[in-house]
Amino acid sequence: MKKDTVILSTTHVDKHLQRMSLAALESIVENVNSSRIIFGVEHDPRTPPVGRIASARIKQLEDGEYAV
């Protein structure tokens, strides 16, 4: 089984000019760590899952923003 570490979301302003709060990131971590999250490509339910999220944590980035 291949394991990767990836960023799911950050507190940076996104391309829609929206920003996730640190509280929202904390909620993501709580939800991910309390259940099995399976994911597919582009959120398309017609394609089989490509993996699952095993665990999550919050990390402070070098620019002072936060990431899950």
Side-chain angles (χ1 to χ4, degrees), residues 20-33:
M20 296 285 283
S21 68
L22 182 54
L25 297 184
E26 290 168 345
S27 179
I28 291 170
V29 169
E30 183 178 321
N31 287 327
V32 166
N33 290 335

Side-chain angles (χ1 to χ4, degrees), residues 4-34:
D4 288 324
T5 300
V6 298
I7 292 178
L8 297 176
S9 185
T10 72
T11 55
H12 289 106
V13 175
D14 67 14
K15 65 182 176 182
H16 302 288
L17 303 179
Q18 297 175 330
R19 175 186 296 245
M20 296 285 283
S21 68
L22 182 54
L25 297 184
E26 290 168 345
S27 179
I28 291 170
V29 169
E30 183 178 321
N31 287 327
V32 166
N33 290 335
S34 67

Side-chain angles (χ1 to χ4, degrees), residues 40-63:
V41 177
E42 297 293 326
H43 306 284
D44 186 348
R46 297 170 296 175
T47 60
V50 295
R52 74 177 180 95
I53 303 172
S55 66
R57 65 183 173 87
I58 293 178
K59 177 181 178 180
Q60 187 167 16
L61 303 173
E62 291 180 8
D63 62 2

